[in-house]
Amino acid sequence: MSGAEERARRLETGLLPIMRIAGRDTRWTMAERMAHYHVPGVAVTAMKDGCIDFARGFGSSSAERMQPIDGDTIFMGASCASGDWMNALEL
């Protein structure tokens, strides 16, 4: 497994909570978080050393259409708070 594939696997299976509690190693899968927040789909692109490291899609474009999302799916942009970008950069 390449480094990028390993990092993508960790993203898919090891999401950390916003607030961590000492002594608890709580992690969620992408599917669990999407279900929790009622999100039908999401696309993630990770950068490393100024280049795209990996791009993955999860779920579908809507609950009705069931069109799969992949790393090439384009979404309309929306406002993002700087805190969201910092969380993304922590990955």
Side-chain angles (χ1 to χ4, degrees), residues 12-78:
E12 220 172 313
T13 62
L15 297 174
L16 295 169
I18 293 172
M19 185 175 294
R20 298 177 206 153
I21 300 172
R24 288 190 186 173
D25 186 26
T26 304
R27 294 174 189 265
W28 296 293
T29 65
M30 182 65 77
E32 289 169 336
R33 290 290 80 192
M34 288 169 54
H36 176 80
Y37 289 109
H38 307 286
V39 174
V42 64
V44 177
T45 301
M47 306 291 290
K48 182 171 174 52
D49 299 327
C51 298
I52 293 176
D53 190 34
F54 65 85
R56 296 286 188 277
F58 305 92
S60 60
S61 59
S62 72
E64 298 82 31
R65 291 188 48 200
M66 299 304 290
Q67 181 178 357
I69 293 175
D70 63 21
D72 294 323
T73 301
I74 297 173
F75 291 91
M76 294 195 58

